[in-house]
Amino acid sequence: IRTGRAAAGDPRAGFRRAAEPGPAVPQGLIRAARKSGQLNLSGRGLTEGECLLRVQNLSFGAADRWWEQTDLTKLILASNKLQCLSEDVKLLPALTVLDVHDNQLTSLPSALGQLENLQKLDVSHNKLKSIPEEVMQLSHLRSLLLQHNELSCLPDGFGQLVHLEELDVSNNHLTDIPTSFALLINLVRLNLACNQLKNLPADISAMRSLRQLDCTKNYLETVPSKLATMASLEQLYLRKNKLRSLPEFPSCKLLKELHAGENQIEILNAENLKHLNSLSVLELRDNKIKSVPDEITLLQKLERLDLANNDISRLPYTLGNLPQLKFLALEGNPLRTIRRDLLQKGTQELLKYLRSKIQDDVTNPNGEPPVTAMTLPSESRINMHAITTLKLLEYSEKQAAVVPEEMFDAVRSHPVTTVNFSKNQLSEIPPRIAELKDSLCDVNLGFNKISSVSLELCLLRKLTHLDLRNNFLTSLPEEMEALTGLQVINLSFNRFKAFPGVLYRILALETILLSNNQVGSVDPLQLKRMDRLGTLDLQNNDLLQVPPELGNCESLRTLLLEGNPFRTPRAAVLARGTAAVLEYLRSRIPA
């Protein structure tokens, strides 16, 4: 490997060996590197003694064909124990890629600035507190990865890196951004997530090539209005900040994804939405939004709309006419016009309901909310109107230990499709539920004290939605395999220590909600067979690792893994959403 023809003295100076014997580098690897110009020494336990790397017998022997040797262009030293890099790195002037991520580096050598051919520099996942000004001389640099370090500021000369296309400074301690960022006119992806930024410089809008901007988890209270002029922007992440409002987006004609959940946004204006013709994902969960403007129906390409956990009391029924909408999350809102059991039935049922109400709006111009089981005056203990008209048997929020027999007696021959026995003190599933097996589709037994699922429940062959959240369940019976039409099951806030094996065999399942349990593992091969599974929520469990093969579950559209003790994928990957997580997992599958 030629280390620079002009270098005087020992041509091996760039590869100083440790005083103590260290891990050997296989000779075959060296011989291959001489021909390919690429050397990968990742994960070999290299320490500070081998400040740059440890390579044996670098000089050419008599048997070497000198005309076949090539300059080293790619050097990977990732996942070692390096605490410093030697200034002798300058003896590798042909380098285009230098990857030293996941080490223990506390500083970088100023000699890096002499690697004039360098195009990619990855120093992420180290302990760097500063970046030397000399790095700003790397005029051909296209990718600079600095995430997961201890940086509190960046050099003012950043604007000199005019060819930079990718910059990741997430998970540091940055409190502001150099104004020279405005000169990075070729930057395509900028990740500022998980820092301490209180504002963004308005000049950032000069980045005319920027397609992805991630500002997740900072302290932003406003977004500069000029941001709305960034015509190339396709993905904007503003989650977990302190925003009280959204900017208007008059020029963001290409914006496809806007993520602004977990802020303090109270008002969603027509002006915020009406220019976003290309928007396919709008995520505004966990805010304080009180109403949704009718203009949301202008977003004709919208595929995912997440409004969960806001203060929304009513929706424009015309939402049901959005032609591409595949996912609509509304749980956790004080909606007066939509029954809670309807929210559990999934997006398509909800949209069908909203469409059906558009005509009602025309015939009922006073806008009176439709009568539901929750708004009916209940003079008697048994609501016969609910049973006969709404096909609903409801006995909820009574704090009762048992469901009275007369509730089942009242059903008689009426075909009940929905049962709601939630928020009581039930210790078991009422056995007489089996009497409803010919018509029952939707069962809500959440917020009780149920410790086991009875075999009577397994007789409900028409069941599509089952809510058992907030109970004392530790397992599910194998007989549940008979529920072949089950599409949605909610088992959140129970006591499962293992993923219930029977679920792998219910192939109709589209949504499995298992958050806030103690699940330690999942079987990715069995999950892959569940080709209808679109949502899997495993937040706040005891997963110590995420199997890479989970990335092959191509049907998954929403995979939630936050709040588990695993180390990878890291939080920055999770924050990018399901597609990014699955792509990351696939990249970790052993070849």
Side-chain angles (χ1 to χ4, degrees), residues 76-251:
I76 301 175
L77 293 166
S79 302
N80 282 294
K81 299 175 183 175
L82 301 177
Q83 294 185 14
C84 63
L85 272 182
S86 168
E87 294 283 345
D88 292 335
V89 71
K90 65 190 176 195
L91 301 179
L92 302 171
L95 275 186
T96 60
V97 175
L98 176 58
D99 183 350
V100 289
H101 83 268
D102 192 20
N103 277 284
Q104 297 165 23
L105 299 176
T106 55
S107 63
L108 296 174
S110 56
L112 277 178
Q114 298 180 40
L115 302 180
E116 58 185 29
N117 292 301
L118 203 62
Q119 294 181 23
K120 178 175 181 177
L121 176 59
D122 187 347
V123 293
S124 62
H125 295 279
N126 279 287
K127 298 178 179 178
L128 300 174
K129 289 185 167 56
S130 64
I131 302 297
E133 286 281 353
E134 287 80 5
V135 170
M136 304 302 111
Q137 298 166 17
L138 299 173
S139 57
H140 292 96
L141 203 61
R142 295 182 183 277
S143 174
L144 178 55
L145 305 180
L146 301 170
Q147 68 267 30
H148 287 277
N149 277 288
E150 297 171 14
L151 302 173
S152 54
C153 62
L154 296 173
D156 289 332
F158 240 99
Q160 298 171 52
L161 302 175
V162 289
H163 289 105
L164 206 59
E165 296 175 6
E166 177 182 34
L167 174 60
D168 192 336
V169 292
S170 61
N171 290 278
N172 279 287
H173 308 315
L174 301 176
T175 54
D176 54 31
I177 299 297
T179 52
S180 65
F181 261 41
L183 302 174
L184 302 178
I185 56 173
N186 290 301
L187 201 64
V188 174
R189 289 180 298 279
L190 173 58
N191 193 343
L192 302 170
C194 302
N195 279 288
Q196 297 165 25
L197 302 174
K198 292 185 177 176
N199 51 57
L200 295 175
D203 296 341
I204 206 170
S205 60
M207 296 179 180
R208 58 177 183 239
S209 303
L210 199 66
R211 294 209 293 265
Q212 184 184 82
L213 175 59
D214 191 343
C215 300
T216 301
K217 205 172 183 184
N218 278 283
Y219 300 119
L220 301 177
E221 294 183 8
T222 58
V223 174
S225 56
K226 278 192 175 180
L227 195 72
T229 65
M230 300 177 76
S232 297
L233 201 61
E234 294 180 6
Q235 294 176 305
L236 178 58
Y237 294 85
L238 297 169
R239 299 186 77 249
K240 297 190 177 183
N241 278 284
K242 296 186 174 183
L243 299 177
R244 295 189 176 277
S245 62
L246 282 178
E248 296 169 15
F249 295 97
S251 303

Side-chain angles (χ1 to χ4, degrees), residues 427-459:
S427 57
E428 63 175 11
I429 297 171
R432 288 186 66 182
I433 203 167
E435 297 172 15
L436 311 176
K437 67 180 189 299
D438 293 333
S439 58
L440 197 54
C441 303
D442 187 337
V443 171
N444 186 350
L445 289 159
F447 298 91
N448 279 289
K449 296 182 176 180
I450 298 167
S451 56
S452 65
V453 171
S454 64
L455 297 184
E456 285 86 359
L457 189 80
C458 304
L459 298 174

Side-chain angles (χ1 to χ4, degrees), residues 48 80 108 120 132 136 232 282 346 356 363 370 404 458 488 549 578:
E48 59 186 306
N80 282 294
L108 296 174
K120 178 175 181 177
M136 304 302 111
S232 297
L282 179 57
S356 75
T363 57
C458 304
V488 176
E549 293 79 9
T578 299

Side-chain angles (χ1 to χ4, degrees), residues 381-382 387 393-395 403-411:
R381 188 166 171 179
I382 298 170
I387 292 174
L393 181 61
E394 179 164 37
Y395 193 78
V403 176
E405 295 294 322
E406 58 259 37
M407 292 297 296
F408 292 100
D409 294 339
V411 173

Side-chain angles (χ1 to χ4, degrees), residues 441-561:
C441 303
D442 187 337
V443 171
N444 186 350
L445 289 159
F447 298 91
N448 279 289
K449 296 182 176 180
I450 298 167
S451 56
S452 65
V453 171
S454 64
L455 297 184
E456 285 86 359
L457 189 80
C458 304
L459 298 174
L460 307 177
R461 302 297 170 88
K462 294 193 174 180
L463 201 60
T464 58
H465 293 72
L466 177 58
D467 191 340
L468 288 164
R469 77 181 97 172
N470 293 75
N471 277 286
F472 299 157
L473 297 172
T474 57
S475 64
L476 296 179
E478 298 302 312
E479 288 81 359
M480 278 185 69
E481 190 174 357
L483 304 178
T484 54
L486 191 62
Q487 297 170 14
V488 176
I489 187 166
N490 190 343
L491 299 168
S492 303
F493 292 94
N494 275 282
R495 299 179 180 181
F496 290 97
K497 292 188 175 175
F499 190 97
V502 68
L503 297 185
Y504 293 127
R505 300 194 294 282
I506 305 177
L507 299 183
L509 276 169
E510 298 172 7
T511 298
I512 298 176
L513 306 178
L514 251 175
S515 68
N516 296 280
N517 281 280
Q518 299 158 41
V519 175
S521 65
V522 292
D523 186 335
L525 301 180
Q526 298 215 60
L527 281 172
K528 190 174 189 305
R529 291 176 55 241
M530 304 177 72
D531 54 11
R532 296 186 191 176
L533 190 63
T535 298
L536 178 59
D537 185 352
L538 292 167
Q539 294 177 100
N540 302 318
N541 275 282
D542 292 343
L543 296 174
L544 288 171
Q545 59 182 14
V546 182
E549 293 79 9
L550 197 56
N552 287 331
C553 297
E554 294 171 2
S555 64
L556 281 178
R557 294 290 173 267
T558 303
L559 174 62
L560 303 172
L561 296 169

